[in-house]
């Protein structure tokens, strides 16, 4: 490590915006709305909230405690609490997992660059469904277009990470996240006031509990993990830059509340518009890039610009959190300068991203292996290290800020039980369900 003091996020607001920025991303805008539709509307939202509360949030706290109490990157943090054991190898899982995710995530982030430029230049006006879905197909089948947008997206990501914690990640997220909230509110209002939007609102709100089965619960938990950025060190690394007076409970709860609220808002931004246009809500992953442009073609020029700008901002505030996991390792453990580390990471992610951009099979493989293997192992190890390897008193002190956290002392026994038992067992069951 260099002789300089390690940087930190200057204020509580910045920490929460950075963590919320990591959490809120393509997972909220792109995946959540269509999963809600597929798995029983409001019933799925209830299951999702329960899974987040009882399994995802305890893991979030655990990662946060590891990061904040040690002030180190993933590798260094686990090494300090379990010195001389093999647990620190979790650091490699986090590095590899975050590396793979940021690479394919940047391909999708690149699509939003493409669509933003398109909505700023030609717009979508007057396009039919065929023409609008044609845009997506021709974009993804072009060789150079996804590579150019990938380069732009990864370039912005690396630039922000390269500027450091306060002047890069902190500054970017604290300016962009409030803007993102404003923009999504505008789209929700526009979407819910379209003629025929009522059916979409009903689709989201009517609970259909008959659709809640094993796979639906596994999907809810998987989505909760992805959405809260768990298992690959993002929360741990960001928390390592928290000042000592900050509190892991407050920041964790606020992040989860913002994240869930945003996912629900995104559903209300998208589904009513889909129904109003008489289109299929179950289009799945292509919904945002194929179905929505059609709807936008009837909405004038401004809404598509706001929409794709929102996706782009949400995606960048997430991708920087993944690259930071690796940057922190290279800076803290390998003594590299931040600039050199981010240049190297840009090049490496670009290579894997480019492979994902040209091959759907590589893309799906990266998606599958990261969410079903790396994130699950990572989250499991974090629960074991915090729940079984760290001293209970140390964890309690961190959780309650040495006994000063209001109410934290009272809920600690519940969280402790969730971290030790419910989360690890839940993760194993879900991981097996998903892999079968
Ligand atoms: N949570 C982000 C989203 O919803 C994506 C993300 C950021 C992520 N960091 C992560 C997903 C770490 C898994 C693991 O889009």
């Amino acid at each position: 490590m260099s002789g300089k003091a390690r940087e930190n996020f200057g204020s509580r607001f910045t920490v929460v915006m950075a963590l919320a920025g990591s959490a809120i991303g393509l997972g909220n805008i792109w995946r959540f709305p269509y999963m809600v539709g597929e798995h029983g509307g409001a019933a799925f939202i209830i299951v999702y909230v329960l899974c987040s509360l009882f399994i995802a949030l305890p893991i979030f706290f655990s990662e946060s405690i590891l990061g904040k109490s040690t002030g180190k990157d993933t590798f260094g943090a686990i090494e300090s609490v379990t010195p001389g054991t093999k647990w620190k190898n979790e650091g490699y899982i986090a590095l590899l997992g975050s590396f793979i995710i940021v690479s394919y995530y940047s391909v999708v982030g690149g699509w939003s660059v493409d669509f933003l430029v398109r909505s700023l230049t030609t717009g979508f006006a007057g396009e039919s469904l065929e023409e609008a879905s044609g845009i997506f197909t021709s974009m993804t089948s072009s060789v150079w277009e996804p590579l150019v947008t990938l380069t732009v997206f990864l370039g912005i990501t690396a630039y922000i990470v390269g500027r450091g914690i306060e002047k890069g990640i902190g500054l970017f997220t604290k300016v962009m996240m409030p803007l993102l909230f404003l923009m999504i509110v505008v789209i929700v209002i526009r979407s819910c006031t379209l003629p025929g939007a009522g059916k979409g609102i009903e689709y989201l709100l009517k609970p259909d509990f008959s659709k809640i089965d094993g796979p639906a619960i596994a999907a809810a938990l998987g989505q909760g993990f992805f959405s809260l950025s768990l298992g690959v060190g993002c929360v741990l690394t960001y928390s390592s830059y928290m000042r000592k007076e900050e509190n892991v409970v407050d920041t964790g709860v606020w992040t989860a509340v913002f994240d869930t609220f945003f996912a629900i808002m995104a559903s209300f931004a998208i589904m009513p518009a889909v129904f109003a246009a008489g289109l299929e809500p179950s289009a799945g992953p292509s919904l945002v890039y194929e179905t929505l442009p059609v709807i936008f073609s009837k909405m004038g020029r401004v809404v598509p610009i706001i929409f794709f700008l929102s996706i782009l901002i949400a995606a960048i505030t997430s991708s920087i959190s993944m690259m930071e996991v690796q940057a922190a390792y290279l800076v803290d453990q390998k003594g590299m300068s931040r600039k050199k580390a981010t240049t190297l990471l840009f090049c490496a992610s670009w290579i894997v991203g480019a492979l994902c951009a040209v091959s759907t099979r590589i893309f799906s493989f990266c998606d599958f292996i990261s969410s079903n293997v790396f994130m699950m192992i990572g989250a499991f190890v974090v629960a074991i290290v915090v729940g079984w390897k760290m001293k209970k008193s140390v964890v309690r002190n961190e959780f309650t800020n040495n006994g000063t956290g209001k109410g934290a002392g009272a809920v600690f026994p519940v969280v402790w039980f969730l971290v030790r038992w419910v989360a690890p067992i839940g993760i194993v069951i879900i991981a097996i369900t998903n892999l079968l």
Side-chain angles (χ1 to χ4, degrees), residues 22 62 110 115 137 173 186 332 346:
S22 170
S62 306
F115 275 74
T137 321
T173 50
V186 172
D332 288 357
F346 170 83

Side-chain angles (χ1 to χ4, degrees), residues 9 18-28 30-31 63 73-74 91-109 153-154 157-158 160-162 165 169 173 225-238 241 311-330 338 341-342 345-346 349 366-367 370-371 374-375:
F9 286 118
L19 282 167
S22 170
I24 295 170
L26 297 165
N28 303 58
W30 180 44
R31 239 165 128 210
E63 273 201 35
D73 69 297
T74 319
Y92 294 119
I93 298 204
L95 287 176
L96 204 58
S98 61
F99 173 70
I100 293 176
I101 301 177
V102 80
S103 304
Y104 80 80
Y105 199 88
S106 298
V107 175
V108 185
F153 186 89
L154 261 179
T157 303
I160 297 169
V161 176
I165 300 309
I169 296 174
T173 50
F225 273 27
F226 189 89
S227 200
L228 279 177
S229 308
L230 301 179
V232 297
C234 290
V235 176
L236 191 160
T237 308
Y238 270 12
Y241 301 115
I311 299 197
L312 180 60
I313 292 177
I316 293 176
T317 56
S318 296
S319 63
I320 53 180
S321 72
M322 295 181 246
M323 193 178 275
E324 178 56 33
V325 172
Q326 304 146 51
Y329 170 79
L330 293 177
R338 196 163 258 282
T342 44
L345 291 171
F346 170 83
S349 301
C366 287
D367 183 13
S370 51
S371 35
F374 289 107
M375 284 174 63

Side-chain angles (χ1 to χ4, degrees), residues 286-364:
S286 66
L287 185 72
V288 164
Y289 296 102
E290 282 187 89
T291 314
L292 289 184
V294 184
I295 298 167
F296 291 154
S297 65
K298 302 191 184 64
M299 283 190 182
R301 294 296 300 269
V302 184
V303 174
I305 297 175
I306 301 182
F307 185 79
F308 287 110
L309 186 61
S310 311
I311 299 197
L312 180 60
I313 292 177
I316 293 176
T317 56
S318 296
S319 63
I320 53 180
S321 72
M322 295 181 246
M323 193 178 275
E324 178 56 33
V325 172
Q326 304 146 51
Y329 170 79
L330 293 177
V331 173
D332 288 357
Q333 302 289 330
K334 300 287 163 198
M336 230 181 241
S337 77
R338 196 163 258 282
K339 289 274 174 303
K340 192 167 161 206
T342 44
T343 311
L344 186 78
L345 291 171
F346 170 83
C347 297
S349 301
W350 193 89
I351 294 171
V352 177
L355 292 174
C356 292
V358 296
S359 155
T360 333
R361 282 184 59 196
I362 299 180
F363 182 99
S364 311

Side-chain angles (χ1 to χ4, degrees), residues 66-201:
L66 272 174
K68 190 184 165 218
S69 65
T70 59
K72 292 192 173 147
D73 69 297
T74 319
F75 199 86
I78 298 188
E79 163 82 334
S80 352
V81 298
T82 57
T85 65
K86 293 215 163 61
W87 292 105
K88 64 171 179 291
N89 292 323
E90 146 64 11
Y92 294 119
I93 298 204
L95 287 176
L96 204 58
S98 61
F99 173 70
I100 293 176
I101 301 177
V102 80
S103 304
Y104 80 80
Y105 199 88
S106 298
V107 175
V108 185
W111 298 345
S112 62
V113 173
D114 198 301
F115 275 74
L116 177 62
V117 171
R118 204 176 288 272
S119 52
L120 283 168
T121 51
T122 55
F124 296 95
E127 308 248 357
S128 65
L129 179 58
E130 286 73 35
E131 282 167 332
S133 23
I135 300 177
F136 182 71
T137 321
S138 76
M139 177 189 81
T140 43
S141 53
S142 146
V143 175
W144 62 270
E145 219 174 304
L147 293 184
V148 171
T149 56
L150 166 72
T151 311
V152 173
F153 186 89
L154 261 179
I156 300 174
T157 303
Y159 174 74
I160 297 169
V161 176
R163 285 180 56 98
I165 300 309
E166 252 201 292
K167 290 206 203 90
I169 296 174
L171 181 63
F172 186 77
T173 50
K174 86 179 159 200
V175 173
M176 290 301 176
M177 292 312 286
L179 186 67
L180 182 61
F181 275 100
L182 262 180
M183 291 196 295
I184 199 85
V185 169
V186 172
I187 304 172
V188 170
I189 295 173
R190 183 74 188 93
S191 175
C192 290
T193 51
L194 289 170
K199 273 206 245 101
I201 298 176

Side-chain angles (χ1 to χ4, degrees), residues 217-256:
I217 297 173
L221 187 71
Q223 172 65 15
F225 273 27
F226 189 89
S227 200
L228 279 177
S229 308
L230 301 179
V232 297
C234 290
V235 176
L236 191 160
T237 308
Y238 270 12
S239 302
S240 74
Y241 301 115
M242 274 189 202
R243 296 172 310 169
K244 283 300 161 214
E245 62 267 35
E246 242 68 86
N247 170 323
V248 297
V249 180
D250 282 359
T251 45
V253 169
W254 277 114
T255 304

